[in-house]
Amino acid sequence: MLHIAICDDDSSALAGNKEITERCLAQYGSAWKISEYGTSDNLLYDITDDSFFFDLILLDIEMPGNSGMDIAEKIKPYLPNVKIIFITSHIEYAIDAFELSIFRYVPKNDIDKRLPAAVTDAVKLIELEEGRVYTIQTNSRLEKIPYKEIYHIERDGKNAIISYSGGSSKVRKSLQQVFGELDAEEFIFIDRGCIVNIIHIMQVKDGMAVLKNGESLPISRTHLQEVKVQINNYWGSHI
């Protein structure tokens, strides 16, 4: 079940956004639960103090007290993988929204057209990220790492180091062997010694893959063009 929060201090906008969201979800066929918030402070309290979990949050940016920007920044430690859709009448916020890893930015003057697409795309991505795990099994341990939490995998001699949201784990296998076991299109080589999860790449800039966790990884010259093509093809087929 998808857990969704909608926050707007304008009650009519809140009701309208909820109606659009429900209509999208009904067509998509997903089970859902929507929580409505008329104040940003209440949403922030539920997430930070009561540990409410949400897969998707629709946030008005211009709210009294904590703005949508404030909320997005403050909840990142609690919901690192949450998808946030910003709704606002000020286009200049789009740049800041990108820096906060916001999933989508929807202008209020085009909400009837843009919000349904944003909600549908977010649900597709959430479902895409769910369910798959990479298993590390040895004589002494069994570890399962969700694909969606893996940032990158690097070669370390005869081992592969998997970096993910919970830390890092070493597996005594070649990078190519791990790549084959993952067997998932979101994992790509950016260098002979490094595999990256596309869903965590925010941008490719100056020959570097910039990830959502703040890391920047070098892309080899021989891989750079292919990496750009793979990223475009991946999102083109899934969003």
Side-chain angles (χ1 to χ4, degrees):
M1 175 180 288
L2 292 168
H3 294 269
I4 300 168
I6 304 176
C7 185
D8 199 310
D9 61 310
D10 183 329
S11 59
S12 61
L14 181 63
N17 294 342
K18 181 183 179 184
E19 181 182 349
I20 291 173
T21 301
E22 288 180 328
R23 191 163 61 243
C24 291
L25 294 170
Q27 293 175 350
Y28 195 72
S30 298
W32 73 85
K33 177 182 179 182
I34 295 178
S35 300
E36 301 171 69
Y37 293 89
T39 69
S40 57
D41 289 345
N42 286 346
L43 172 61
L44 184 62
Y45 177 85
D46 278 354
I47 293 173
T48 59
D49 285 21
D50 284 354
S51 300
F52 276 41
F53 175 82
F54 295 109
D55 299 290
L56 173 65
I57 301 176
L58 279 62
L59 271 178
D60 180 21
I61 290 184
E62 303 92 11
M63 290 185 288
N66 285 286
S67 69
M69 288 286 185
D70 295 331
I71 295 292
E73 190 166 10
K74 290 177 179 178
I75 67 174
K76 283 176 71 176
Y78 300 89
L79 300 174
N81 296 312
V82 68
K83 303 295 179 285
I84 295 176
I85 296 173
F86 267 163
I87 300 170
T88 182
S89 55
H90 297 285
I91 196 166
E92 64 269 19
Y93 283 119
I95 296 175
D96 293 328
F98 177 78
E99 294 300 324
L100 287 168
S101 304
I102 303 305
F103 175 73
R104 194 65 56 84
Y105 170 93
V106 176
K108 287 185 178 180
N109 62 7
D110 199 19
I111 199 164
D112 289 337
K113 178 182 178 181
R114 300 277 290 275
L115 186 57
V119 170
T120 301
D121 289 349
V123 171
K124 287 181 181 179
L125 182 56
I126 291 166
E127 293 188 345
L128 181 70
E129 293 175 357
E130 291 295 332
R132 293 171 297 173
V133 297
Y134 182 74
T135 302
I136 300 174
Q137 186 168 8
T138 67
N139 292 333
S140 59
R141 68 184 173 114
L142 175 65
E143 185 176 3
K144 294 186 177 182
I145 306 172
Y147 278 21
K148 67 179 182 179
E149 294 185 11
I150 298 174
Y151 296 125
H152 55 84
I153 307 159
E154 294 184 273
R155 182 174 57 203
D156 179 26
K158 295 183 178 180
N159 301 306
I161 305 296
I162 302 173
S163 296
Y164 59 101
S165 59
S168 63
S169 294
K170 180 184 291 188
V171 56
R172 193 165 180 76
K173 293 179 180 179
S174 70
L175 208 56
Q176 191 63 51
Q177 188 176 357
V178 172
F179 181 74
E181 291 173 346
L182 287 166
D183 190 26
E185 60 185 331
E186 63 263 37
F187 292 98
I188 61 172
F189 277 92
I190 64 169
D191 183 86
R192 288 197 306 172
C194 184
I195 298 167
V196 172
N197 190 340
I198 285 179
I199 69 172
H200 291 296
I201 298 177
M202 284 184 61
Q203 61 179 322
V204 173
K205 183 179 180 181
D206 300 328
M208 306 288 285
V210 183
L211 307 188
K212 292 179 182 178
N213 67 346
E215 289 186 86
S216 293
L217 303 172
I219 305 171
S220 70
R221 288 184 179 181
T222 56
H223 284 77
L224 183 56
Q225 188 56 40
E226 180 61 22
V227 165
K228 292 178 179 179
V229 170
Q230 287 177 298
I231 291 173
N232 288 335
N233 289 344
Y234 179 82
W235 290 118
S237 64
H238 290 290
I239 296 299

